[in-house]
Amino acid sequence: MQEENEHEPQLVSVTRIKCSEKTLRPTIPCILHFTEVTSVTGLEFLSQPGQEKTIRACYSLAWIIERCLPLKPDTGMEADVHNNSVPLENGNLAPVDRLRRDRSDSPTPGLVEGTEPGAGQDSAMFVHAQSFEDLTADGEQEQEEEVQVPEGGDRSERGPEVEKPRTEGEENEKMQGQPGEEEQEQEEVQSGGGRAKEEDVNSEAWRRHRKHVFVLSEAGKPIYSRYGTEEALSSTMGVMMALVSFVEAGKNVIRSIHAEGYKVVFLRKSPLVLVGVSRTRQSERELTRELLYIYYQIISLLTLTQLNHVFQIKQNYDLRRLLAGSEHLTDNLLRLLDCDPGLFLSAVTCVPLPSSLRDVVSSSLQAAKAKNLVFSILLAGSRLVTLVRKKDQYLHHMDLHLLYNLVGSSSSFREGEGWTPICLPKFNTAGFFHAHISYLEPASDLCLILISTDREDFFTLSDCKRRFLERLRRRSTYQALQEALLAPSYPVSQVGIPELRHFVYKSKSSGLYTSPEIPIPYQSEEEQERLMGLYQYLHSRMHHPTRPLRFIYHCAERENLLSWVTSGFELYLCFSPLGTKALAISAINKLLKWIRKEEDRLFILSPQTY
Amino acid sequence: MSTKKESKSGKVVPNGTSKHFLERCASTNEYFDIAFKVMLLGDSAVGKTCFLVQFKDGAFLAGSFIATVGIDFRNKVVTVDNVKVKLQIWDTAGQERFRSVTHAYYRDAQALLLLYDITSKSSFDNIRAWLTEIHEYAQKDVVIMLLGNKSDMANERVIKREEGEKLAREYGVPFMETSAKTGVNVELAFLAIAKELKHRAVQQPNEPKFQIHDYIESQKEKSSCCRYV
């Protein structure tokens, strides 16, 4: 299934295209084929005999590429990679046996899923998400699982990188029932908040941004642009839609364009189209995953049901009206994607706490339950303190990241109590949950999110919060918790490996990761992003769909990195440039031992349910 | 604390509002005699959150606009004629997608502050739609007050005060222009609401009926005479 070969130029047939300098509209039929290879000059157009429009189509495509992709390529560091690839069975990293084994039964304790440091003792807290593979094994594949195959049914073999576009009928089958919350008054025009992003889209500065993200509707209407106003970009977005639709008209799907160090990635999620233009080293899959996050961010505000409904009624609906005021959520999510390892690791990190303290907090949350309460989540900043869930209901880490993003992007929850509908797209794209969001104290970092299924539950949940707080205070845990939060992380020096600067360790079975505080050389925003970029690069190499690696030692200019993935965990280490490979390898064992020793504190080992 | 509450509730005629006496302020430990729910409504970006923050903390939220998510719930206790009145204030998101949540809480509200932005014609034009919605979802005897916010932005004004007054007369609701930035009439709006609600809840037999319109007229600062800029 994953035998795609990236080097094989693929033939994409294109039909029905009319080209002018500004727009491509699928009106005048003509047939052309183009081969997608990795540079602009490599874009070849082979016209069918007797089709005179080809040249103009080439012109337009060149124009598109010039317009959309004027970004300078990153200076690559490919040459420094030393890697030690281990041949894998099936060419796949997914554990052969997906069932968790008991710690004691495991032949190599610590390396197998379920026995690694940080693995939960009871059931996992999150959807049993089989880590990275499940989520992003293939952005497109995942899309299929979600939309086309309701019960994980058989998928027919597909040709390399070629997919048939989904028909409307299939899309609709999945959408049963009415929207949970219909909002149909359309008489009011929103005045829209002022956005501090009025950038000239023709300027060099606009073109130089590292990563652009565009969201548009199938009618080609702009919905979101990371930089610049949507209005100014409407013709560019029209061109993007034209690209998508003329490839689709040939019963095909455009996935990406690679040219001169930048990548244009398309994600088609009917009724939306998402386009990322990036000059980072991220792989196409990583970029697709980021677009998927943006897509889910939009779904979390509207539900897919409502989204489909709106566009069914009016194909050229301006979705910005319904999304008004949410731009900063998307902006913030894009920032998180650049600097939070949890989002590419598909994992969540928690505040290091003595397990006894965490247990008291968990049980207090557990006791403050209500009939319709599904999840109680206590956060400190963007770290989890504890999470209590209804039996048999799992929260997906992607949904949790969207919640983080919601809480982190809004200052208004600090003072009062917030109450908002939210769709958790990995749970159910059709309906809204209702979230009660409040800080335990205005000055505190502790934010409590209570998620209920009932939109009338505000006072019930407000009371849950009061009971939780009372219980915490009565058991004098509150003070202890506040004190513990004064040091929300730990310095890497605690591990006792002098050359080690930073690391990220993810336990696959619990979906949790741990990481020390960012050390001095990486504290500036750009440096932090650079470090995360390196991790992300290693991550994408290790999870490459066709040539996955298990172990990478990477000597970069300013640091040496080592990454290792087993069926139980993923580990990324960053050493000072003076460290040696031998030293790095010996550090692994020491670090794993340290994490095992500290796992009670660093992870949530016994998640609670109501 | 309970003794105080009981003595108060003994004095006050329980005319259907007695349930309020059993409530206790959840987020602060201030005591109060009566509690009322007040809701802030109006289009996105008219200044509802700023209006509330000015009233609650006496501060102005400068900086970029951050849309409220869903509904935001805050409490403030004010004293009206020696009675402690707790206002439970619902700050709502103006965006269309939150309408359904807001609707669900309309009927609990005893007073609605409906805001428009004097520098935005569309926000004023939408007031009629808001009032239609209010009549559909809110309680019949709900106290409504129309407020033209951002009165400090005289240079960008597009809605004259007379237009606001005319609209308010048409619907028979009190009106004033406010500024969340300078604080003009902000406290007055809430106090007038609190007074009106308090009089409704605990009407003494010999006391004349509270006239919210007259009260506002006598108290309000005309924005024309207090432009400090």
Side-chain angles (χ1 to χ4, degrees), chain A residues 126-175:
Chain A
F126 299 105
V127 178
H128 204 56
Q130 294 312 330
S131 66
F132 187 69
E133 280 72 18
D134 172 55
L135 238 192
T136 47
D138 181 342
E140 302 298 316
Q141 197 172 312
E142 202 234 331
Q143 171 174 335
E144 289 222 323
E145 276 169 12
E146 286 237 301
V147 182
Q148 287 192 313
V149 190
E151 292 297 337
D154 285 340
R155 261 173 266 136
S156 54
E157 287 289 314
R158 285 173 284 135
E161 299 214 351
V162 175
E163 282 190 329
K164 292 203 168 167
R166 295 182 310 283
T167 60
E168 280 304 307
E170 283 171 294
E171 188 74 55
N172 294 342
E173 269 174 57
K174 187 83 205 300
M175 306 307 346

Side-chain angles (χ1 to χ4, degrees), chain B residues 53-175:
Chain B
V53 169
Q54 175 63 257
F55 171 62
K56 200 169 170 285
D57 308 322
F60 179 64
L61 289 175
S64 61
F65 166 72
I66 295 179
T68 303
V69 177
I71 297 183
D72 217 15
F73 178 84
R74 306 185 194 195
N75 293 311
K76 172 140 176 159
V77 178
V78 294
T79 309
V80 175
D81 309 330
N82 296 321
V83 178
K84 282 203 180 296
V85 178
K86 181 172 91 168
L87 296 177
Q88 302 178 323
I89 307 162
W90 296 87
D91 178 18
T92 63
Q95 280 84 17
E96 208 171 299
R97 67 172 181 281
F98 292 115
R99 274 323 130 69
S100 62
V101 214
T102 330
H103 289 165
Y105 289 87
Y106 265 33
R107 61 179 143 65
D108 293 331
Q110 281 114 335
L112 302 170
L113 293 176
L114 181 53
L115 279 82
Y116 68 88
D117 171 358
I118 64 157
T119 69
S120 152
K121 182 156 190 325
S122 65
S123 76
F124 181 72
D125 294 342
N126 282 335
I127 290 293
R128 284 179 193 276
W130 279 108
L131 285 163
T132 315
E133 230 173 64
I134 289 169
H135 286 297
E136 187 172 338
Y137 294 100
Q139 292 174 8
K140 285 285 157 277
D141 62 341
V142 67
V143 179
I144 303 168
M145 187 181 283
L146 181 65
L147 302 171
N149 196 27
K150 308 197 188 175
S151 67
D152 53 291
M153 292 167 76
N155 294 333
E156 289 161 60
R157 175 191 284 273
V158 292
I159 303 296
K160 294 197 203 79
R161 186 176 30 246
E162 292 71 35
E163 290 176 77
E165 279 166 355
K166 184 164 167 272
L167 185 69
R169 262 201 307 280
E170 193 182 318
Y171 285 89
V173 298
F175 167 79

Side-chain angles (χ1 to χ4, degrees), chain A residues 181-194 196 301-302 306 317 321-326 328-329 406 409-413 415-421 432 434 437 454-459 462 466 470, chain B residues 24-27 37 43-46 49 53 56-57 61 64-75 88 90-91 94-101 103-105 107-108 120 122-123 126-127 129-130 132-133 137:
Chain A
E181 321 275 312
E182 280 192 39
E183 293 175 80
Q184 289 177 18
E185 323 88 53
Q186 315 220 328
E187 72 264 37
E188 278 157 82
V189 183
Q190 293 295 322
S191 52
L301 297 169
L302 298 177
Q306 195 189 351
Y317 184 80
R321 224 171 76 168
L322 271 182
L323 293 174
S326 71
H328 70 285
L329 287 178
L406 176 74
S409 326
S410 195
S411 52
S412 68
F413 303 122
E415 289 288 327
E417 295 166 69
W419 179 241
T420 181
F432 277 119
H434 294 268
I437 304 170
D454 186 355
R455 80 169 168 195
E456 311 269 312
D457 250 3
F458 175 86
F459 290 105
S462 192
R466 192 188 49 74
E470 255 171 30
Chain B
R24 213 184 110 225
C25 195
S27 60
K37 295 196 179 74
D43 275 14
S44 169
V46 297
T49 303
V53 169
K56 200 169 170 285
D57 308 322
L61 289 175
S64 61
F65 166 72
I66 295 179
T68 303
V69 177
I71 297 183
D72 217 15
F73 178 84
R74 306 185 194 195
N75 293 311
Q88 302 178 323
W90 296 87
D91 178 18
Q95 280 84 17
E96 208 171 299
R97 67 172 181 281
F98 292 115
R99 274 323 130 69
S100 62
V101 214
H103 289 165
Y105 289 87
R107 61 179 143 65
D108 293 331
S120 152
S122 65
S123 76
N126 282 335
I127 290 293
W130 279 108
T132 315
E133 230 173 64
Y137 294 100

Side-chain angles (χ1 to χ4, degrees), chain A residues 91 286 333 425 452 481 572 591 602:
Chain A
E286 302 269 313
L333 182 61
S452 159
L481 191 57
Y572 302 83
L591 177 63
L602 302 178

Side-chain angles (χ1 to χ4, degrees), chain A residues 73-100:
Chain A
D74 247 356
T75 45
M77 296 153 79
E78 308 283 331
D80 315 340
V81 183
H82 306 278
N83 47 41
N84 241 346
S85 86
V86 179
L88 294 172
E89 302 95 6
N90 315 328
N92 196 326
L93 279 171
V96 187
D97 174 15
R98 292 206 152 193
L99 293 170
R100 289 204 285 122

Side-chain angles (χ1 to χ4, degrees), chain A residues 547-587:
Chain A
R547 299 181 302 277
L549 303 171
R550 269 204 171 160
F551 194 86
I552 301 176
Y553 185 69
H554 177 107
C555 298
E557 232 169 275
R558 283 176 272 176
E559 53 270 306
N560 294 341
L561 295 122
L562 183 144
S563 61
W564 186 24
V565 54
T566 71
S567 63
F569 62 82
E570 283 179 42
L571 184 59
Y572 302 83
L573 305 161
C574 171
F575 294 95
S576 83
L578 301 174
T580 62
K581 201 193 280 185
L583 193 135
I585 289 171
S586 70

